[in-house]
Amino acid sequence: MTWRSELGLLREQVNQLQFVVRVLTRTLDRWRTAVHAPDATLRKIRAVVAESERLSEDR
């Protein structure tokens, strides 16, 4: 494997990791918003988490 092909592979891995970090950050932001909402209830928070799980299964 040449250094150029290895560099290309590493760039792709970095791109994939950046995508995962963005997805996880959005998920955490949604959860944090649900927890801190003035009308937050355990039922509403569970619904937000369940929706996040459904979205992650669709990927």
Side-chain angles (χ1 to χ4, degrees), residues 3 6-10 14 16-18 21 25 27 29 31 36-37 41-43 45-46 50-51 53 55-58:
W3 68 269
E6 188 171 344
L7 181 60
L9 247 156
L10 291 172
V14 167
Q16 290 172 357
L17 288 171
Q18 287 173 331
V21 167
T25 299
T27 299
D29 288 343
W31 292 2
H36 291 290
T41 64
L42 189 53
R43 177 174 286 165
I45 294 168
R46 285 181 175 160
E51 177 64 20
E53 290 173 348
L55 290 174
S56 68
E57 289 172 357
D58 291 342

Side-chain angles (χ1 to χ4, degrees), residues 7-49:
L7 181 60
L9 247 156
L10 291 172
R11 283 184 176 151
E12 180 59 31
Q13 289 175 339
V14 167
N15 288 338
Q16 290 172 357
L17 288 171
Q18 287 173 331
F19 174 78
V20 170
V21 167
R22 283 192 302 273
V23 169
L24 291 173
T25 299
R26 283 193 298 267
T27 299
L28 182 58
D29 288 343
R30 279 194 299 274
W31 292 2
R32 185 181 295 121
T33 298
V35 167
H36 291 290
D39 62 340
T41 64
L42 189 53
R43 177 174 286 165
K44 289 180 182 180
I45 294 168
R46 285 181 175 160
V48 170
V49 171

